[in-house]
Structures are given as C-alpha cells and as structure tokens.
Amino acid sequence: MRRFTPWIYLLPALALLVVFTYVPVGSMVGYSFTDWDGLSDDPAFVGAGNYWELFTRPELFQVFFVSLYYVAASAVQIALALYFAFILSFKLRLRNLFKGIGHPVLPVPHQRRRGLVRLPVLLPPPRHPRLGAGAVRRPPGQALAR
C-alpha cells in the first residue's frame, strides 16, 4: 500500500490536468481539421486545408511575426531582470548605484524637515514615528473633522 500512496495523492491533480488541459487540446487539434463554425451540427472534414490556408495567406502569416516580436521582447526583459536581481543580491561593485536608480527620490520644497520624498508608486508609504503606518499628517492647529 505504501507504494501507491503518492499516486493516490497525485490522482486528483492528474485528473484535473487531463480533463482541463489534454482533452481540450486534443479536441482543438481535431476541430482544426474540419470547417466547423461552432454552431452547426456536423462539421465537414477538410484535412490539412486549414493549415495550408494559414501558411499561404500573408495576412494570416503576419500574426507569427507579431508573436515573435513579443517573445523576443520578453526574453530581453527577463534577461535584464535576472541581471539586476543578480547585482542587487550579492555584494558587488555598483550595487548601491543600482539601488539608487531603482528607488528614485524627489526634492519637495514644502517639506523642510524631510527634504526628499520617495516615489509612492515604487515604495510603500513611510511610517509615522508615533502614529504608525497610514497616518495622515495635517498642519498644526487643524482639528479632526467630525
């Protein structure tokens, strides 16, 4: 019985994988060889005619170039993200420079005590020393609205 215990735990996940992934993909491949429009009762078998039309019409083939462009752009983005993650994870030269670029600060003239404020989009709001996180600062002498 101990040999089958892992398979018993895997059975529900494998059943869901087969039912919701492999069966629809198999149906999609089967439908690609027909001219079924999704509404009629009986699809007519056309063989590889749909694929022949896909690869011979230039307006349909243009989709592949757009997809290739997005794949290449994603590969560049992932490579840059891994590069910066590597630099920021280890004690390397220019590590603090990249941290400074990743967390820009803006000078705000009306805040005399702080001088610089971080961009709220990139970082969570700073905690107030006495009031905690999310505290709203108001000018001295202004009462709370009731």
Side-chain angles (χ1 to χ4, degrees):
M1 185 65 182
R2 298 190 98 190
R3 283 182 31 193
F4 298 112
T5 303
W7 294 105
I8 293 171
Y9 283 109
L10 283 174
L11 192 62
L14 290 175
L16 290 173
L17 179 71
V18 167
V19 168
F20 291 110
T21 303
Y22 297 141
V23 171
V25 167
S27 297
M28 181 180 63
V29 169
Y31 292 140
S32 71
F33 291 106
T34 66
D35 66 348
W36 188 48
D37 60 357
L39 298 175
S40 62
D41 291 332
D42 53 339
F45 183 77
V46 293
N50 290 335
Y51 291 103
W52 182 261
E53 183 179 357
L54 175 68
F55 290 113
T56 56
R57 288 180 50 191
E59 64 270 9
L60 296 177
F61 200 71
Q62 187 67 26
V63 173
F64 293 117
F65 293 117
V66 173
S67 298
L68 183 65
Y69 171 77
Y70 280 108
V71 167
S74 298
V76 169
Q77 180 182 7
I78 290 171
L80 283 173
L82 288 174
Y83 174 72
F84 285 119
F86 180 78
I87 286 178
L88 295 174
S89 295
F90 299 105
K91 294 191 184 288
L92 300 173
R93 191 184 309 173
L94 300 178
R95 177 180 179 212
N96 291 331
L97 173 71
F98 289 114
K99 280 187 178 181
I101 292 171
H103 301 287
V105 292
L106 296 176
V108 179
H110 67 274
Q111 285 194 348
R112 289 181 222 142
R113 291 193 313 185
R114 293 208 176 171
L116 296 175
V117 175
R118 292 184 178 192
L119 286 177
V121 175
L122 300 175
L123 297 173
R127 294 177 56 91
H128 189 273
R130 285 178 290 148
L131 302 176
V136 178
R137 302 185 101 191
R138 44 183 208 286
Q142 183 180 3
L144 288 172
R146 292 186 190 233

